[in-house]
Amino acid sequence: MYRLAKEAGVDEVKLKTAQVYDYEDGNPFIPTIEKYARYTLQADGKWKVKHVLANHCWKMWHSCVISWDGLVVPCCFDKDATHRLGDLKEKPFDEIWHDASYQNFRSKLKTGRSEIDICTNCTEGCKVFF
């Protein structure tokens, strides 16, 4: 990959650890080489995220993700659009960004990321590139 990138004139290549769902009981997509894995195997046979979950997130005030069908979701960790904060087919973005759904999600986030499913596997504030 690095050779191909160099040949193509790419300035930089960064590899990132992969996020996987249902990692607690293991997952075939968790790399077997420790430095490439976002998860670590515990003595009890369960897997956990390596990093400590910081209780902050800048994304909710600076960015969002808009799905292919116009749904507005908090961030890229909401891959299945389970936390729909608005729909561009129904409201303009500025209205969605400031409405109650967004404000409620932001408030919930400030009280604790560990209570929001998409946030528990997030990489905010941790090393994921190698």
Side-chain angles (χ1 to χ4, degrees), residues 5-128:
K6 186 176 181 179
E7 290 171 5
V10 173
D11 294 328
E12 182 178 31
V13 173
K14 286 192 171 199
L15 301 177
K16 182 179 176 188
T17 60
Q19 174 201 17
V20 297
Y21 294 124
D22 301 323
Y23 59 86
E24 294 89 356
D25 293 318
N27 186 302
F29 293 115
I30 296 175
T32 56
I33 300 171
E34 178 75 16
K35 80 175 192 172
Y36 299 127
R38 185 176 296 186
Y39 311 93
T40 186
L41 183 60
Q42 304 298 290
D44 65 359
K46 297 286 187 182
W47 291 81
K48 75 170 199 166
V49 177
K50 285 181 185 176
H51 66 273
V52 176
L53 182 65
N55 201 25
H56 60 79
C57 179
W58 61 272
K59 290 183 180 187
M60 285 304 301
W61 289 267
H62 297 279
S63 66
C64 71
V65 169
I66 299 172
S67 67
W68 65 271
D69 57 353
L71 298 176
V72 178
V73 298
C75 70
C76 62
F77 281 89
D78 192 1
K79 292 173 178 55
D80 296 322
T82 57
H83 298 278
R84 296 174 183 175
L85 301 175
D87 187 334
L88 291 175
K89 295 182 296 299
E90 298 170 4
K91 292 182 183 178
F93 180 78
D94 188 53
E95 194 175 323
I96 293 169
W97 185 256
H98 294 98
D99 77 2
S101 294
Y102 240 111
Q103 300 306 324
N104 291 339
F105 194 90
R106 288 177 179 124
S107 293
K108 187 176 179 181
L109 179 66
K110 287 194 286 188
T111 61
R113 287 179 59 198
S114 63
E115 301 303 314
I116 303 171
D117 60 344
I118 62 171
C119 298
T120 59
N121 202 359
C122 177
T123 57
E124 173 66 24
C126 69
K127 182 179 182 246
V128 294

